[in-house]
Amino acid sequence: MILWTIQPEEVYELIQRTGVYHCDYGKSGMDDWQEQYDWLVREMKERIGEPPGGVSYPVWAWYMWEGARKKPDLRQKRWGYGWKGERFACMEIDIPEEKLILSDYDTWSIILLDGLLADTEEEEESLEEEYEAMPPEARREYKYRNWKNVFDLAYVDNGWIHRGDSIQATFWELRKEDIKKVRFFTAATPKPKYLEAEE
């Protein structure tokens, strides 16, 4: 399956040297969403099997962005990745379908906010009411069952939820032979002054 992953240029260089890339949790910025990422890892193990030895978290890529199955627009992406002057590689890759799972980007954003997934405002209110009435020890499993809806990729755009338009893929590793094309770009977003002062 053709996908596109955007990674720091040093990740591409690492793959050229070693032949493989695994997610580096320390550089991933996932600390604020540990529960959500751990849930996703459990789902991946159930759906596509255990990761290779030493691998704990997945690599991410785009399957579709805003309804299009094509390489991300790097003129746009240079404003959304990193700070001005940082170099990135947009790699077109081919990962076997059985080695990845697809999920909806917009509903994943709700999961990151620890929310429940619903197709309407009325459904969300009903789910929240049911959730709040549960004893605390039952809430987690209820939430985790609800989160499985992130794998529903049927298109919906009803004013409450937007789903099935931007779809992401996760898989355990990216190997050198998976890379079919690469384009490099330089980020353009100026670093905020307060961050510059911390350096």
Side-chain angles (χ1 to χ4, degrees), residues 5-25:
T5 185
I6 297 176
Q7 303 288 343
E9 189 173 49
E10 56 263 29
V11 168
Y12 177 78
E13 293 169 350
L14 173 72
I15 295 169
Q16 299 311 299
R17 290 195 311 272
T18 67
V20 66
Y21 168 70
H22 299 134
C23 175
D24 183 341
Y25 182 80

Side-chain angles (χ1 to χ4, degrees), residues 152-180:
D152 180 356
L153 306 178
Y155 183 79
V156 176
D157 187 6
N158 60 12
W160 176 254
I161 192 164
H162 186 79
R163 183 182 69 219
D165 200 29
S166 295
I167 298 170
Q168 56 199 5
T170 51
F171 46 97
W172 294 125
E173 62 182 3
L174 177 56
R175 305 191 70 82
K176 187 175 181 178
E177 58 267 27
D178 300 330
I179 300 171
K180 304 308 172 190

Side-chain angles (χ1 to χ4, degrees), residues 2-4 6 62-63 65 68-75 77 90-92 181-183:
I2 297 298
L3 308 168
W4 296 270
I6 297 176
W62 290 111
Y63 170 79
W65 177 252
R69 283 276 295 137
K70 62 180 182 180
K71 176 180 69 68
D73 183 344
L74 300 184
R75 293 167 299 181
K77 293 301 178 190
C90 177
M91 293 173 264
E92 182 173 296
K181 297 178 187 173
V182 62
R183 293 277 306 275

Side-chain angles (χ1 to χ4, degrees), residues 3-52:
L3 308 168
W4 296 270
T5 185
I6 297 176
Q7 303 288 343
E9 189 173 49
E10 56 263 29
V11 168
Y12 177 78
E13 293 169 350
L14 173 72
I15 295 169
Q16 299 311 299
R17 290 195 311 272
T18 67
V20 66
Y21 168 70
H22 299 134
C23 175
D24 183 341
Y25 182 80
K27 296 180 179 178
S28 67
M30 294 189 293
D31 289 343
D32 292 339
W33 304 288
Q34 182 81 50
E35 180 185 7
Q36 291 89 333
Y37 282 93
D38 286 347
W39 172 82
L40 177 63
V41 164
R42 290 193 297 274
E43 288 293 315
M44 289 179 66
K45 288 177 179 178
E46 184 178 307
R47 292 163 187 262
I48 62 172
E50 293 291 322

